[in-house]
Amino acid sequence: MDDWWQRVTATTPSPDLRVTLLLALVALGCIAWAPVWRVTRHLVTVAHEGAHGLVALLAGRQLSGIRLHSDSSGLTVSRGRPNGPGMVLTLLAGYLGPSVLGLLVALGIHAGHAVGTLWALLVALALLLLQVRNLYGLWVVLVSAAALAAVTQWLDPTVQAAVAQTICSFLLIAGPWSLIDLQRSRRTGVARRSDPDQLARITRAPGTVWWALLLLISLGCLAAGGALLLR
C-alpha cells in the first residue's frame, strides 16, 4: 500500500510544449475523424451522464439510475421537483460535464499529479458503475475502466502523463464540439428533447439562450484548460 500510495501521489513532469501540442492534435483527430468519433463519443456520454447524476445528488434529488446506449445517447433519471433550481442545475450539468472534467484534469496535470489524476478518474468510473442500469452501459464503463487501469498499472509515469494530457485535451475539445453538434440537430428538429430545450420548458427562456450559455462556459473551460497545459 505504501508503494502504491507513493506512485499515486508522486509528481510527474509534464511533456514539453511540442509534445503537448502533438497530443492535442491526436485528441482533435479522435473527435474530427468521424469513424473514430463514433467510438470515442461514448466517453463524452459517460462524462455527460455522470455530471447529470452527480449534480442531481448534490442538488438533493434522488438518483434512480443511468443508462448508456449504443447510439452514444444516454439517460439519467432522478426523482424530485420537475422544476426549480435543482432541476435547472441538473440539466445544465450534462453538456458542461466533459468541459469541467477536462479543466479539473488540467489542474491536476498542471500541479504535477498526472498519475494521481488518472487514478481519480478510475475511482470516478467505479462509482459511476454502481449507478448504471443497462448492459450496454455496463460494458462501456467496464471497458473504459479496464483501459485506464492498464495505463495506471503497466505504463511508465512519463507515458501516463502523456495519456492524461491526451484525455484532458479530448475532454476540453469535445465539450464545445458536442454543443455544436447539438445545435445542428436542434435546427433539423432531431433533438427536440435536448437539455437546452428542457431548460426552456421549465424556465421560459429560449433554448438557444441556454445553448449559447453552455457553449460560452464550455469555451471558457477550453481556454483555461489549454492555458494550464501550455504553461
Side-chain angles (χ1 to χ4, degrees):
M1 287 297 296
D2 288 341
D3 291 339
W4 173 81
W5 183 249
Q6 288 178 6
R7 279 193 300 157
V8 171
T9 58
T11 56
T12 306
S14 299
D16 62 27
L17 179 60
R18 290 175 296 179
V19 175
T20 297
L21 293 174
L22 177 61
L23 295 175
L25 287 176
V26 171
L28 179 60
C30 291
I31 297 171
W33 191 16
V36 179
W37 176 236
R38 282 194 288 269
V39 177
T40 56
R41 69 188 301 170
H42 289 283
L43 302 177
V44 180
T45 305
V46 170
H48 180 114
E49 301 303 332
H52 274 316
L54 176 61
V55 174
L57 289 173
L58 293 176
R61 299 177 64 83
Q62 182 179 356
L63 184 61
S64 300
I66 294 172
R67 293 177 177 270
L68 306 173
H69 303 137
S70 58
D71 62 354
S72 76
S73 65
L75 177 65
T76 299
V77 179
S78 61
R79 297 177 182 177
R81 289 182 57 190
N83 49 33
M87 191 62 193
V88 170
L89 291 173
T90 299
L91 289 170
L92 280 173
Y95 278 100
L96 294 180
S99 296
V100 173
L101 181 58
L103 181 57
L104 292 175
V105 174
L107 288 169
I109 294 172
H110 182 68
H113 295 292
V115 177
T117 301
L118 291 179
W119 277 99
L121 291 176
L122 188 57
V123 171
L125 286 174
L127 294 174
L128 179 65
L129 190 63
L130 300 176
Q131 296 295 333
V132 175
R133 295 294 183 265
N134 66 325
L135 289 176
Y136 190 83
L138 289 172
W139 182 83
V140 170
V141 178
L142 284 173
V143 170
S144 303
L148 199 55
V151 170
T152 56
Q153 286 293 323
W154 296 323
L155 295 185
D156 182 86
T158 304
V159 181
Q160 292 181 27
V163 172
Q165 279 207 353
T166 306
I167 293 173
C168 179
S169 298
F170 174 82
L171 292 170
L172 289 172
I173 299 171
W177 189 283
S178 299
L179 283 162
I180 293 172
D181 271 351
L182 172 65
Q183 188 64 3
R184 294 196 192 103
S185 299
R186 292 181 70 242
R187 285 175 178 172
T188 58
V190 175
R192 294 180 179 178
R193 292 185 56 82
S194 67
D195 293 349
D197 293 299
Q198 292 186 63
L199 284 165
R201 281 191 287 272
I202 65 176
T203 64
R204 298 183 181 179
T208 303
V209 172
W210 287 110
W211 173 84
L213 176 63
L214 290 169
L215 181 63
L216 182 63
I217 297 173
S218 186
L219 289 172
C221 290
L222 173 59
L228 289 171
L229 292 180
L230 293 174
R231 286 180 183 175

